[in-house]
Amino acid sequence: MLTKAEIAAVAALAGRVRLVAYAPHSGFLVGVAVVTSDDRVFAGCNVENASYGLTLCAERSAIAAAVGAGARAIRAIVLVTATGRACPPCGACLQWISEFGGPETEVIWASVAGDTVRWTLGDLLPCAFGSSVSRP
Ligand code: THU
């Protein structure tokens, strides 16, 4: 489990990256930081498109950065929004997290005001699809 100090540091990074999110269509800025199993941290933001369905969520942006640096296992993922209530990752992003994580992977929401809510991936995606299902 990330300590409170670790969450604060990682959320601060995600919060900074959130400010450069490209979200002209929704106006909803999201910043994410991924902590890999070897304790490296990679950040990402949402990148929207005029063809709305092509939008890239912040979680997948951060995970792609981590994978591009050689990471293959996610310990925790922290997302930052300006909402007043907890904002869990969307279903597609949970599936992406599942590719590089497991039921114990931490998923943490932090608000720009400093509130936090912690889940595990198992809480949010209890019946994940994985290659153990398609290639038993
Ligand atoms: N978004 C994310 O970046 N992550 C999520 O988990 C949910 C939604 C973005 C996509 C879009 O740019 C905006 O939030 C509104 O849906």
Side-chain angles (χ1 to χ4, degrees):
M1 289 217 333
L2 295 189
T3 64
K4 280 190 175 173
E6 286 173 323
I7 293 173
V10 172
L13 173 64
R16 285 197 296 279
V17 175
R18 174 184 169 274
L19 296 177
V20 293
Y22 180 73
H25 306 292
S26 73
F28 188 63
L29 309 181
V30 185
V32 165
V34 165
V35 183
T36 63
S37 58
D38 56 357
D39 281 328
R40 290 184 291 160
V41 181
F42 298 90
C45 61
N46 49 333
V47 183
E48 297 188 342
N49 191 275
S51 179
Y52 299 161
L54 299 182
T55 288
L56 178 65
C57 289
E59 293 88 332
R60 283 176 280 156
S61 168
I63 291 168
V67 171
R72 292 292 183 273
I74 293 174
R75 183 178 157 211
I77 184 163
V78 177
L79 67 149
V80 172
T81 63
T83 50
R85 52 180 284 198
C87 176
C90 76
C93 289
L94 291 174
Q95 182 66 31
W96 260 59
I97 297 164
S98 176
E99 186 74 17
F100 303 104
E104 304 309 319
T105 300
E106 287 195 88
V107 180
I108 299 165
W109 166 78
S111 74
V112 293
D115 302 312
T116 58
V117 174
R118 307 172 74 132
W119 304 275
T120 65
L121 184 61
D123 293 332
L124 298 174
L125 190 67
C127 297
F129 175 80
S131 58
S132 61
V133 176
S134 58
R135 290 189 282 111

